[in-house]
Amino acid sequence: MRRIKLLEVRSELGAGTRGASMGIDALKVACLNKGSDYFRRFNSVQVPDLNHVLFEKNHFPFARHIDSIYQVQKGIASTVEQTLRLGEFPLVLAGDHSNASATIAGIKAAYPHKTLGVIWVDAHADIHSPYTTPSGNMHGMPLALSLNDDNRECQRNQPAAETEFFWQRLRDLGEPGPKVAPEHLVYVVVRDTEAEENAIIERLGIKNYQLDEVRSKGIRQVAREIYERLRFCDMVYISFDVDSLDSRFSKGTGTPVEDGLNVEEAIGLCRALLENDRVVCFEMVEINPTLDQENTMANNAFDILEAATDAIQTRLRLAEVISR
């Protein structure tokens, strides 16, 4: 990979609270206020969204707007795949976290014969399906899609046939079947889960580095352990939801949760994780300035984004030197 490319994904169809579509622009305001030239340094592409359907009636109570989400996610997956095939590093700035399953599908479409590891930095497990969701919001479902596991053992809903049709199409996005194996998924600071999610996490044996463990071991040690767990993965995708931050720092997100990372810890974690040369994509999601005061979340998130980007660029430059 030669350079970073910004992928701007403004879709917020999967969220339960409106406003995440403005997260990218809030980051740009933070960038301007800090006197940074960040958004002038990188080429960017905007992936089309269908946020206008939020004004229309939803016909899918257990997977809200799934028909439109499928259309949006096809565009996301295709853009990620093309970016990777051009030898660029996709840095995805997205609205809600449902978009992440399309990012994963795009990575697998570009590298179908490689094994993908996923590091999920988030307050939430996002492993519900239409069969288990308590809300119907699809930002709680991306990992069920990527793992190809509906958790039918904990079924509480009976989705309509049309919902099941689009759900299957989403599961097959990029390539049919699972994109990620459970042993190749690692959670960091996940702490707000439902019983159905706890059951599937236990059944699949997914590791979750909770905050106490991160602080007791230290960020560098946790990063080393994560990559030891992912030692059989050819490539790694990192997804950073801003609600991984403690709610003192994360008012500007749809579902803030207390007892999370502080900003300095998040910066250190992203730096440590992004130094690994197997990382092929980084994504930041769920900034919602409509819930914020004085753009605080976007200011904090921009500091994290700049640090993460610096770590990526340092690694790309080193790889270029070595390849010579």
Side-chain angles (χ1 to χ4, degrees):
M1 295 183 182
R2 298 183 299 273
R3 59 184 178 272
I4 291 171
K5 187 169 189 178
L6 300 180
L7 276 53
E8 300 182 8
V9 181
R10 286 176 168 78
S11 175
E12 61 170 285
L13 296 176
T17 305
R18 303 280 65 86
S21 61
M22 293 182 274
I24 297 168
D25 293 318
L27 280 172
K28 292 183 176 181
V29 170
C31 174
L32 286 170
N33 289 342
K34 291 174 183 286
S36 172
D37 65 346
Y38 183 92
F39 286 97
R40 294 179 57 191
R41 282 189 274 138
F42 305 107
N43 291 331
S44 65
V45 60
Q46 294 190 22
V47 180
D49 65 72
L50 295 175
N51 288 333
H52 65 274
V53 306
L54 292 167
F55 293 96
E56 302 171 6
K57 184 178 179 180
N58 168 61
H59 299 284
F60 306 92
F62 301 122
R64 299 174 62 81
H65 306 294
I66 191 172
D67 54 342
S68 299
I69 285 173
Y70 171 61
Q71 297 299 325
V72 171
Q73 292 208 4
K74 285 196 297 183
I76 298 169
S78 176
T79 304
V80 170
E81 178 185 2
Q82 291 173 17
T83 302
L84 288 166
R85 289 189 182 278
L86 288 171
E88 297 175 308
F89 186 103
L91 198 163
V92 185
L93 303 175
D96 76 77
H97 219 166
S98 68
N99 300 302
S101 58
T103 303
I104 291 171
I107 295 170
K108 282 296 291 181
Y111 303 116
H113 304 298
K114 292 188 175 183
T115 301
L116 177 63
V118 172
I119 303 172
W120 199 262
V121 188
D122 196 332
H124 305 91
D126 294 344
I127 201 169
H128 275 296
S129 75
Y131 303 95
T132 66
T133 176
S135 68
N137 298 324
M138 289 200 66
H139 68 170
M141 307 184 195
L143 287 174
L145 287 168
S146 298
L147 292 165
N148 201 36
D149 192 321
D150 295 338
N151 194 18
R152 294 289 190 101
E153 295 89 339
C154 298
Q155 183 170 348
R156 62 189 285 176
N157 308 317
Q158 187 57 58
E162 193 174 7
T163 299
E164 293 181 312
F165 169 80
F166 284 111
W167 180 251
Q168 186 61 49
R169 297 296 291 271
L170 281 168
R171 292 204 305 186
D172 291 342
L173 195 62
E175 62 175 34
K179 314 299 188 296
V180 181
E183 62 269 25
H184 298 151
L185 167 63
V186 179
Y187 285 134
V188 183
V189 298
V190 167
R191 57 200 186 276
D192 185 14
T193 55
E194 283 83 33
E196 297 86 355
E197 292 182 301
N198 294 334
I200 188 174
I201 290 168
E202 182 177 358
R203 171 167 62 84
L204 297 179
I206 300 169
K207 172 63 179 176
N208 177 21
Y209 284 93
Q210 297 185 356
L211 185 64
D212 287 348
E213 186 173 6
V214 171
R215 287 180 173 166
S216 64
K217 290 182 174 179
I219 285 168
R220 287 284 169 181
Q221 177 60 27
V222 167
R224 282 191 291 269
E225 289 187 16
I226 288 173
Y227 282 113
E228 176 60 23
R229 287 179 171 275
L230 302 180
R231 61 190 179 278
F232 297 118
C233 298
D234 305 303
M235 54 187 181
V236 173
Y237 156 72
I238 299 171
S239 192
F240 183 88
D241 188 321
V242 296
D243 68 23
S244 61
L245 296 173
D246 188 273
S247 54
R248 290 174 297 162
F249 313 104
S250 61
K251 294 292 190 294
T253 190
T255 48
V257 183
E258 61 184 11
D259 297 327
L261 299 167
N262 62 41
V263 177
E264 292 73 23
E265 289 169 332
I267 288 172
L269 178 66
C270 288
R271 282 190 179 277
L273 294 174
L274 284 161
E275 287 173 359
N276 191 284
D277 60 8
R278 286 178 291 162
V279 180
V280 297
C281 180
F282 176 77
E283 183 160 5
M284 177 178 281
V285 303
E286 294 280 4
I287 299 165
N288 188 337
T290 68
L291 304 173
D292 210 358
Q293 293 181 343
E294 299 179 353
N295 211 30
T296 302
M297 169 57 80
N299 287 327
N300 289 332
F302 183 71
D303 289 342
I304 298 166
L305 178 63
E306 278 202 306
T309 305
D310 181 63
I312 297 166
Q313 285 192 295
T314 299
R315 183 167 60 78
L316 294 181
R317 284 194 294 266
L318 179 61
E320 185 176 3
V321 170
I322 292 172
S323 67
R324 290 175 182 173

